[in-house]
Amino acid sequence: MAITLKTPDEIQKMRVAGRLAAEALEMIEPFVKPGVTTGELDRICHRYITEEQGAIPAPLNYHGFPKSICTSVNEVVCHGIPTDTKKLKEGDIINIDITVIKDGFHGDSSIMVHVGNPLPHLQKLVETTQECLYKAIDIVKPGITLGDIGHTIQTLAESRHYSVVREYCGHGIGRVFHEEPQVLHYGKPSTGTKLEAGMTFTIEPMINLGQRHTKLNKKDGWTVTTKDRRHSAQWEHTLAVTDTGIEVLTARSNEKYFNHKT
Ligand code: MF3
Ligand code: CO
Ligand code: CO
């Protein structure tokens, strides 16, 4: 399958789905406090997405995923499963990854939150990971390549002595949750697919404090951790390439990409 270019009508539907994913993240962030369980965060999001937004939480039953959001704490890189036995504690970091389906289209985004007061070394990791995402977003326009995106992220992360996860990547998105192209978070300038207006995809760098290698939990089939058990951070946005640059479909109201019209 080739990369599908979205029509203006389809992009409009993705704007709506993207805005709902952003609003669900803004809704849940204040609930992240010492003592709350990831199971509770999942229930709050499930109710909000289904009842307030009239949308569908895409992860639920996706290839058998059992919950409505992903919650990845500390050394968990991605795809953490919410559970009532996982209580957050002061000093933890958590990635909350929300994907909603509205009118047939997906919006996929994730944020990092510090539980209680941020620990300085984790604050630096979390901020650098967000900077990696923003720096990549800021170069996107027709004519650049996927390799340019990966190279931008890898260069910044490694300049701060962090490592870039290789086994998981960003992805095309639309009617389908994960479609072509694969958006690697490492790479070489001017290599790979050239971007064109109408492409919609995510960028979602996973950056580790220690080594880049990951390990999949064979018992649950989902939870990905760092091999060395050191912390990992991730931020994600869904984007559309426009004639002149980019539109961040999942921008939150406190980000420079936010557009009141959407
Ligand atoms: N939202 C994740 C992503 O960014 C995918 C989660 S799939 C699930 O692509 F099944 F784990 F929920
Ligand atoms: Co994604
Ligand atoms: Co996601």
Side-chain angles (χ1 to χ4, degrees):
M1 262 294 283
I3 298 171
T4 62
L5 296 182
K6 274 74 180 179
T7 65
D9 273 12
E10 291 173 324
I11 301 256
Q12 184 49 37
K13 290 183 177 171
M14 293 208 49
R15 269 188 201 110
V16 174
R19 180 170 48 77
L20 295 182
E23 287 174 356
L25 286 169
E26 289 178 326
M27 179 282 301
I28 199 65
E29 181 167 4
F31 288 94
V32 176
K33 288 270 161 13
V36 76
T37 67
T38 53
E40 185 64 24
L41 298 176
D42 176 71
R43 274 190 296 280
I44 296 166
C45 286
H46 180 90
R47 195 207 66 82
Y48 182 80
I49 292 165
T50 57
E51 292 178 28
E52 311 263 334
Q53 298 187 321
I56 299 166
L60 188 59
N61 302 319
Y62 179 77
H63 294 283
F65 192 80
K67 297 287 175 177
S68 295
I69 64 172
C70 296
T71 50
S72 301
V73 179
N74 295 342
E75 75 280 7
V76 178
V77 173
C78 61
H79 304 165
I81 304 172
T83 156
D84 292 340
T85 59
K86 181 68 186 174
K87 238 186 203 168
L88 298 181
K89 56 179 198 307
E90 178 87 26
D92 283 345
I93 56 172
I94 181 173
N95 174 274
I96 301 178
D97 192 334
I98 295 187
T99 309
V100 306
I101 308 171
K102 182 75 174 181
D103 209 358
F105 284 83
H106 291 74
D108 183 7
S109 185
S110 79
I111 59 172
M112 294 298 300
V113 188
H114 294 273
V115 181
N117 291 315
L119 295 169
H121 72 295
L122 297 181
Q123 191 163 28
K124 217 182 124 198
L125 171 71
V126 165
E127 280 177 8
T128 298
T129 306
Q130 188 175 41
E131 253 183 81
C132 285
L133 172 60
Y134 287 170
K135 215 171 171 183
I137 288 173
D138 290 341
I139 66 162
V140 172
K141 61 179 178 186
I144 74 139
T145 68
L146 289 177
D148 294 328
I149 292 177
H151 183 254
T152 298
I153 292 165
Q154 182 179 14
T155 302
L156 176 56
E158 291 179 354
S159 77
R160 308 228 174 127
H161 308 285
Y162 301 129
S163 64
V164 178
V165 169
R166 303 289 201 270
E167 294 90 342
Y168 303 89
C169 57
H171 49 91
I173 183 168
R175 283 191 184 279
V176 176
F177 194 168
H178 296 102
E179 61 183 30
E180 281 188 65
Q182 291 197 36
V183 181
L184 305 183
H185 303 115
Y186 59 94
K188 299 213 175 352
S190 305
T191 62
T193 302
K194 243 190 203 171
L195 301 191
E196 289 175 51
M199 288 181 179
T200 52
F201 57 87
T202 72
I203 304 178
E204 48 183 298
M206 286 144 274
I207 305 296
N208 297 349
L209 208 47
Q211 296 206 275
R212 65 179 174 82
H213 309 92
T214 65
K215 197 172 130 201
L216 176 66
N217 180 320
K218 288 195 209 69
K219 285 214 186 104
D220 69 24
W222 284 103
T223 309
V224 177
T225 59
T226 56
K227 216 176 213 172
D228 62 13
R229 295 251 150 202
R230 297 187 69 193
H231 287 77
S232 185
Q234 177 178 33
W235 294 83
E236 174 176 26
H237 271 311
T238 297
L239 322 161
V241 182
T242 65
D243 290 319
T244 51
I246 196 164
E247 196 174 320
V248 180
L249 302 175
T250 48
R252 296 177 301 283
S253 55
N254 66 351
E255 292 182 300
K256 69 172 178 179
Y257 308 104
F258 187 70
N259 179 347
H260 285 270
K261 291 193 285 288
T262 59

